[in-house]
Amino acid sequence: MKKKKREEKKELEDLPNVHGEVRMRLAPSPSGPMHLGQSRMAILNDEYVKRYGGILFLRIEDTNPHNILPEAYDMIPEDLEWLGVKVHKTIIQSDRFEIYYIYARKLLEMGKAYITTVPAEEWRKLKNEGKPTNDRDLPPEEHLERWDKMLNGDYDDGEAVYVVKTDLNHPNPAIRDWAAFRIIKDAEHPRVGNKYIVYPLMNFSVAIDDYELRLTHVLRGKDHLNNTYRQMYIYNYFGWKKPVYIHYGWVTMKDTILKTSTIKQGIKEGRYRGWDDPRLGTLRALAKRGIRPEAIRQYWIDVGLKSVDIEFSWDNLYAYNREIVDPLAKRYFFVWNPKEIEIKGVDKLVAQAPYHPSEDMGYRTYEFHDPIKVWVVDDEWSIIPDGSLLRLKDLCNIVKKGNEGEYAGNDLSVIKKGAKIIHWCPHNGLDMKIIMPDGKIYGGFTEPLVEKSVGETVQFERFGFCRVYKENGKLVGYFGHR
RNA sequence: GCUCCGGUAGUCUAGUCCGGCCAAGGAUAUCGGCCUUUCGAGCCGACGACCCGGGUUCAAAUCCCGGCCGGAGCACCA
């Protein structure tokens, strides 16, 4: 009840200029699976398309063959599905080269673009000085001829580049004439092979596709602001109606590993267990740790799309996740750094522990017969003074005597009198290790019944929420958060 | 250097467009209390912010000017 109230309260602001349905897009490049940072644009777009109705396109931007992880073509849709993002239509830019070429030719005919054979470095230098290259203002026929030569493969990598004219005196040097097509002969594209040698650059293909898809609204990071300005030249030259652009702020994620090149390298070198290594900021890693997509969604809704730069807060994300997971997670005991103790003075004990303190999930029951041995956490046990009365939660009270506990009844009122409560694990408990987000590993024992919760997120009492797996026949937990 | 964007508590956010109801609301974190056979959840309380300086005004977080600080872009990456 309470939760609902808050979730309803925090909503995204309305999108400006909505007339009927909206058409929006997600435009990831297939360099790896999706990470937390990218989930923001996916969620926000999805939220708006669901709110107003319309179409959400997934446009895979694979126009740089040097930076493609072939598996990512499948991983991205999987990640989106996990996130609960409803994609209506998927397009892949490498299917659309012919479309880009058509517009490229038109622009040349209009005299709004040129092909320069001036080396990159010199071209850049001239641009910064606001000067044209010696071939910029050649007649369109000449440039069309060069274009055909580019397509025919008459130039080698770097020998010619297709540039969109803007304004060489634009006060912002980032906006002046920008490259739109380059020649790549030295790489094979994972989808189209060697079919093309002239590759569009991001600003060109994006502008064309945004128009072709008749987008109404484009959400993108503030880092794309200058790209938006650049793309506007294309829209203006062709007289196209522009979508509404919204640039949201930069998110810094301290201590979070997101860079695909770093991850790829780490996996290769065996430092990471894979794309879902719990130390990573990929969605796969979060899923592994039992972070729910709804928590991620709520987090980004909470943040909204302001243009302020923000710092990502794991605490806030965990809080949303805890809210979702707490009422669902079964409770178990996990004893790390285990120490064996024997309970004396009783020959039969029955532990009946509820799976959940408030939800009705039933009980787990363990029966013990003399000799009764259990595992406790050594660092907890060792700081308890000899002779103290303490309680083994849901089992019994004992008085500590060295490495043994003298049975002291089952009267709960001792807690009120200040007896410390510790948790334990049956002596026939199962080996388990828990992997923390920083890579640390806790080894110990857990209750045999945890096997029934493989695949679920559970709470190890006084330890935290973990998702449980079975790897090579052994229980492994991935720590989510406290 | 040039161009652009932005600055509300530790973090995120509401309010800023259309100045007063904001001596600034919510979440999270932290601390304390209650409750509880978990150091979880719940309940109660505390802590804590309008970048600075001028100006306009009866009145400014909100409008204007200047400064300071932070960020982004200036790739034949996306």
Side-chain angles (χ1 to χ4, degrees), chain A residues 109-155:
Chain A
E109 285 164 358
M110 291 159 70
K112 298 302 187 190
Y114 61 101
I115 286 157
T116 184
T117 54
V118 169
E121 208 171 299
E122 196 186 327
W123 173 66
R124 223 176 291 133
K125 186 168 165 268
L126 286 167
K127 219 166 55 160
N128 282 332
E129 292 165 358
K131 290 180 193 152
T133 59
N134 56 12
D135 52 8
R136 183 184 195 260
D137 296 313
L138 292 172
E141 297 74 50
E142 170 66 23
H143 288 122
L144 283 163
E145 206 172 295
R146 289 184 177 191
W147 176 242
D148 287 329
K149 283 168 76 180
M150 271 177 89
L151 294 172
N152 287 337
D154 294 350
Y155 296 108

Side-chain angles (χ1 to χ4, degrees), chain A residues 3-11 298 323:
Chain A
K3 285 171 233 159
K4 259 227 170 109
K5 199 168 138 200
R6 193 179 69 184
E7 278 169 27
E8 280 165 8
K9 221 175 75 191
K10 188 69 201 170
E11 275 184 1
Q298 193 53 45
E323 205 167 82

Side-chain angles (χ1 to χ4, degrees), chain A residues 184-461:
Chain A
I184 300 179
K185 287 181 172 176
D186 71 349
E188 189 167 318
H189 188 109
R191 288 189 73 252
V192 292
N194 296 314
K195 189 170 173 193
Y196 302 102
I197 54 177
V198 176
Y199 281 78
L201 273 325
M202 176 260 188
N203 277 301
F204 197 87
S205 50
V206 165
I208 300 304
D209 282 337
D210 285 351
Y211 166 72
E212 285 272 322
L213 301 177
R214 300 297 191 276
L215 299 184
T216 58
H217 299 261
V218 173
L219 311 182
R220 51 188 355 188
K222 207 161 87 158
D223 49 318
H224 281 299
L225 204 62
N226 284 334
N227 289 324
T228 300
Y229 295 140
R230 289 199 265 239
Q231 290 160 27
M232 287 306 92
Y233 279 86
I234 303 278
Y235 273 79
N236 289 333
Y237 289 152
F238 287 119
W240 294 337
K241 185 169 178 286
K242 297 168 187 124
V244 175
Y245 290 88
I246 295 170
H247 299 91
Y248 51 77
W250 188 256
V251 187
T252 56
M253 295 195 178
K254 264 173 68 189
D255 309 321
T256 304
I257 302 157
L258 303 172
K259 258 186 92 181
T260 41
S261 54
T262 311
I263 300 173
K264 215 190 288 183
Q265 185 70 13
I267 293 174
K268 207 172 131 197
E269 290 168 8
R271 272 181 291 118
Y272 299 130
R273 312 159 63 91
W275 291 99
D276 61 357
D277 188 290
R279 287 166 287 184
L280 305 177
T282 58
L283 297 181
R284 278 146 204 266
L286 296 183
K288 189 119 196 176
R289 293 170 48 198
I291 308 295
R292 300 298 205 91
E294 301 91 322
I296 297 174
R297 180 173 292 260
Q298 193 53 45
Y299 181 86
W300 289 125
I301 289 173
D302 188 20
V303 166
L305 31 63
K306 297 206 311 183
S307 52
V308 241
D309 297 336
I310 59 164
E311 198 174 317
F312 184 82
S313 163
W314 285 101
D315 273 344
N316 288 11
L317 177 65
Y318 292 158
Y320 284 128
N321 201 61
R322 193 177 295 122
E323 205 167 82
I324 295 166
V325 133
D326 183 75
L328 305 173
K330 283 186 180 153
R331 267 55 174 174
Y332 289 105
F333 292 142
F334 166 66
V335 173
W336 60 97
N337 194 9
K339 180 186 181 62
E340 183 188 270
I341 60 163
E342 186 168 345
I343 302 170
K344 298 277 198 182
V346 64
D347 36 48
K348 187 187 171 195
L349 274 178
V350 177
Q352 209 185 26
Y355 276 117
H356 197 282
S358 50
E359 307 289 324
D360 187 13
M361 294 188 185
Y363 293 83
R364 55 211 206 264
T365 308
Y366 298 106
E367 209 177 295
F368 298 91
H369 296 280
D370 190 41
I372 300 173
K373 292 177 178 176
V374 296
W375 299 103
V376 294
V377 180
D378 192 21
D379 6 320
E380 290 188 336
W381 177 259
S382 60
I383 57 167
I384 295 170
D386 233 28
S388 308
L389 178 67
L390 61 137
R391 175 154 182 85
L392 296 173
K393 187 171 185 284
D394 300 314
L395 182 60
C396 66
N397 304 332
I398 55 172
V399 174
K400 179 180 173 182
K401 285 188 175 151
N403 293 335
E404 295 176 349
E406 185 67 35
Y407 179 72
N410 199 16
D411 179 6
L412 288 177
S413 69
V414 300
I415 299 158
K416 294 255 192 300
K417 293 172 195 142
K420 197 172 154 57
I421 301 169
I422 64 170
H423 68 278
W424 50 275
C425 168
H427 196 250
N428 66 341
L430 302 173
D431 256 356
M432 176 159 206
K433 63 177 178 178
I434 292 182
I435 304 175
M436 307 302 283
D438 64 1
K440 265 199 212 99
I441 295 177
Y442 282 87
F445 293 106
T446 192
E447 302 172 36
L449 286 169
V450 169
E451 282 218 289
K452 293 209 158 134
S453 290
V454 167
E456 294 172 21
T457 295
V458 304
Q459 189 206 44
F460 290 115
E461 293 194 31

Side-chain angles (χ1 to χ4, degrees), chain A residues 14-32:
Chain A
D14 278 318
L15 229 38
N17 269 310
V18 174
H19 309 290
E21 296 193 324
V22 295
R23 299 169 69 90
M24 302 176 75
R25 48 82 162 173
L26 318 171
S29 66
S31 54

